Every structure is written in C-alpha cells, then in structure tokens.
C-alpha cells in the first residue's frame, strides 16, 4: 500500500495503491473516508463515493481477469473548491481487461422478485449515486472517474 497527499487553498489530492484483493477494499474505503473528512467533505457525499468505490473495486477484482494482478490498483481523490461549490472526483485505475461501463448495456429491472437475476445492477447504482461518471482507457489501464458536487452555502 502506497499513499500520497497534497493540498492548496482550492485544490487537494490524495493517492493510494492497493492490491487486487477483496481484503484491500476495506483499506480503500477507510482511506477514502479519512481523506475526505480531512478535507471537510460532507459525510453524505463521502457515503455516495464509498458505495461507488466499493462497487468499482469489487467489479475489478471479480471481472478484471489475470491482468488485474499485474499492477496495483491506483486510487486518486481530487478535491476542487471554488467560492460557490465543491467537487470530489475519485479515479480508480487498474490493469484489468478493458471495460467501459458507459457503453455497457444494463439489464432491465425485474418488476417481481422471483424474476430478478443476480448481478448487473452495480453500474446502475453507481450512475444514480454520482453526479459524473467518466471512463478512459490509456496505456493498458482502465481509468474510471466518478465525482460528486455540493454547494458551499
């Protein structure tokens, strides 16, 4: 695990590298909460980010293939403030199989419990919890970026 952090008056960032292992999800979640609290991010926004981080990491570990273990999963929190609003963006970078969640066809939600199939709702949930969701594949790495915003009033 490698951690790094920097801040200025209006911007701050922190980075963490973890292994592609389910036991590392709790470490990443704790790091996210502590880092965001240290930069005065509201708890409700931290909760939204944490749900998405957990889902993203579980998907990477579950579906990333053997390639995901070749390099650490790199996490970055970027906090941007201006006089009116604040935004926290979390970037999750992994060496797993290329997968663009923005082009993934989501399953229709079943109307009855007995018709429900497991899986496929994590991306739907992520899209509902964040204000922005972006994806980039570069230099053999997936980069999933999700962010939340709030007013500074």
């Amino acid at each position: 695990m490698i951690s790094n952090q920097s801040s200025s008056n209006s911007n701050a960032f922190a980075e963490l590298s973890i292994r592609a292992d389910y036991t590392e999800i709790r470490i990443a979640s704790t790091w996210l909460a502590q880092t965001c609290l240290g930069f005065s991010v509201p708890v409700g926004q931290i909760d939204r980010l944490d749900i998405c981080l957990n889902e993203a990491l579980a998907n990477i570990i579950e579906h990333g293939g053997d390639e995901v273990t070749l390099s650490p999963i790199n996490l970055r929190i970027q906090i941007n403030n201006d006089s009116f609003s604040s935004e926290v963006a979390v970037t999750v970078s992994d060496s797993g199989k290329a997968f663009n969640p923005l082009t993934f066809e989501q399953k229709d939600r079943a109307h009855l419990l007995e018709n429900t199939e497991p899986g496929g709702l994590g991306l739907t949930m992520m899209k509902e919890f964040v204000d922005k969701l972006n994806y980039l594949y570069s230099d053999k790495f997936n980069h999933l970026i999700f962010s939340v915003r709030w007013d500074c009033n």
Side-chain angles (χ1 to χ4, degrees), residues 25 32 45-60 90 92 122-133 144-148:
I25 295 175
L32 174 82
Q45 305 305 335
I46 297 170
D47 291 344
R48 292 170 63 195
L49 292 169
D50 187 50
I51 289 167
C52 294
L53 178 63
N54 279 268
E55 183 63 31
L57 292 174
N59 283 342
I60 290 166
V90 176
V92 180
L123 290 172
T124 301
M125 180 182 64
M126 286 181 73
K127 289 177 181 179
E128 291 176 4
F129 273 95
V130 297
D131 296 317
K132 282 193 238 172
L133 182 64
L144 180 66
I145 306 107
F146 49 91
S147 62
V148 296

Side-chain angles (χ1 to χ4, degrees), residues 49-85:
L49 292 169
D50 187 50
I51 289 167
C52 294
L53 178 63
N54 279 268
E55 183 63 31
L57 292 174
N59 283 342
I60 290 166
I61 295 165
E62 179 73 22
H63 304 291
D66 293 337
E67 299 91 342
V68 80
T69 60
L70 299 177
S71 299
I73 298 172
N74 297 310
L75 308 174
R76 180 181 175 93
I77 296 172
Q78 178 75 40
I79 301 169
N80 299 307
N81 299 302
D82 61 35
S83 54
F84 303 106
S85 65

Side-chain angles (χ1 to χ4, degrees), residues 70-111:
L70 299 177
S71 299
I73 298 172
N74 297 310
L75 308 174
R76 180 181 175 93
I77 296 172
Q78 178 75 40
I79 301 169
N80 299 307
N81 299 302
D82 61 35
S83 54
F84 303 106
S85 65
S86 294
E87 179 181 50
V88 176
V90 176
T91 303
V92 180
S93 302
D94 70 272
S95 61
K97 295 176 187 175
F99 175 73
N100 183 346
L102 304 179
T103 60
F104 180 73
E105 259 188 64
Q106 298 172 328
K107 294 179 183 178
D108 290 333
R109 291 186 187 187
H111 295 288

Side-chain angles (χ1 to χ4, degrees), residues 1 16-20 24-25 27-28 57 71-75:
M1 175 177 33
L16 177 71
S17 294
I18 61 171
R19 294 177 293 113
E24 299 278 294
I25 295 175
I27 293 167
L57 292 174
S71 299
I73 298 172
N74 297 310
L75 308 174

